[in-house]
Amino acid sequence: SQTIHQWPATLVQPVGSPLSLECTVEGTSNPNLYWYRQAAGRGLQLLFYSVGIGQISSEVPQNLSASRPQDRQFILSSKKLLLSDSGFYLCAWSLGREQYFGPGTRLTVT
Amino acid sequence: GNSVTQMEGPVTLSEEAFLTINCTYTATGYPSLFWYVQYPGEGLQLLLKATKADDKGSNKGFEATYRKETTSFHLEKGSVQVSDSAVYFCALVKGGTYKYIFGTGTRLKVLA
């Protein structure tokens, strides 16, 4: 069966520091991969999605970037965090119509 | 463009009450429709789905019917439990695309 991992689970970072969040999927090949952000008490904001290695589509211009160095690995990065980057970051994958989510990373920028 | 509209929460019910969470959508063609549930501090879990008009998705006592004529996909449960307390998201995806459109979520609180 398929499994999706995210780490770290929680992260506290100062403003201006770099960020790297990792997501990996097991048990499937060539999935579509997604990064979402969820602000406190809010809905989901799609940040990036990827339909293949090296293919990244950005939905929201901001100081975040994404990379897909391997088929089942999706990384979210920032060179300098802002206070507004705080939130709950969710990775997801899909192959057919269903989309499956990871456990999330809670990021607090101080 | 495509969109999903959910009823505003929070919804507060007593245990064993009947639940309805409204969801309507705007999309051309025949999107697939989903309900996801998010428990505190966790990711979203797929609760049920429907892929064509008049399909009924069901899981864990929850049901939703794909109504093309009213562009709706309302979530229902006959008797809620305290453990159903969570945030529920309605979503759609159009065939041939990769972008999922989510509603803003509806928080459900069930009191014992």
Side-chain angles (χ1 to χ4, degrees):
Chain A
S1 63
Q2 299 85 6
T3 308
I4 179 168
H5 302 280
Q6 286 187 246
W7 63 90
T10 60
L11 191 59
V12 180
Q13 293 283 94
V15 168
S17 63
L19 173 73
S20 181
L21 302 182
E22 190 165 342
C23 169
T24 59
V25 180
E26 296 178 355
T28 186
S29 296
N30 198 29
N32 300 322
L33 297 173
Y34 305 79
W35 278 112
Y36 291 89
R37 178 169 61 201
Q38 188 177 27
R42 305 291 296 276
L44 296 171
Q45 179 186 32
L46 177 63
L47 301 175
F48 302 94
Y49 67 94
S50 170
V51 300
I53 294 175
Q55 301 179 60
I56 310 291
S57 295
S58 173
E59 288 296 298
V60 184
Q62 56 202 330
N63 68 320
L64 298 173
S65 62
S67 62
R68 185 171 178 173
Q70 300 180 41
D71 180 42
R72 291 170 289 177
Q73 185 183 30
F74 205 24
I75 297 173
L76 183 69
S77 304
S78 175
K79 292 182 180 178
K80 289 186 176 182
L81 284 168
L82 307 173
L83 283 174
S84 58
D85 291 323
S86 292
F88 192 49
Y89 288 81
L90 290 161
C91 181
W93 71 273
S94 71
L95 263 184
R97 290 174 176 157
E98 296 90 0
Q99 189 174 57
Y100 298 95
F101 286 80
T105 295
R106 184 161 304 283
L107 171 66
T108 303
V109 182
T110 60
Chain B
N2 302 326
S3 66
V4 174
T5 302
Q6 285 183 239
M7 63 187 289
E8 291 284 330
V11 174
T12 303
L13 296 172
S14 298
E15 205 165 24
E16 299 184 2
F18 184 86
L19 168 71
T20 300
I21 299 178
N22 292 337
C23 170
T24 57
Y25 68 90
T26 301
T28 56
Y30 294 88
S32 294
L33 302 174
F34 307 89
W35 276 101
Y36 285 85
V37 57
Q38 184 180 32
Y39 299 102
E42 299 183 6
L44 277 68
Q45 299 177 25
L46 178 62
L47 181 60
L48 54 84
K49 67 177 181 181
T51 58
K52 60 182 186 295
D54 300 325
D55 263 3
K56 177 184 280 188
S58 61
N59 186 24
K60 300 180 181 179
F62 291 90
E63 293 183 339
T65 301
Y66 190 143
R67 301 286 188 199
K68 181 69 175 174
E69 64 277 11
T70 54
T71 61
S72 65
F73 193 55
H74 305 323
L75 183 68
E76 296 181 337
K77 187 176 185 183
S79 176
V80 294
Q81 306 300 311
V82 172
S83 56
D84 293 326
S85 298
V87 180
Y88 292 82
F89 290 91
C90 186
L92 70 82
V93 68
K94 285 193 64 179
T97 70
Y98 306 103
K99 290 171 58 175
Y100 294 73
I101 308 299
F102 284 84
T104 52
T106 301
R107 183 175 299 277
L108 170 66
K109 185 174 183 181
V110 181
L111 305 176

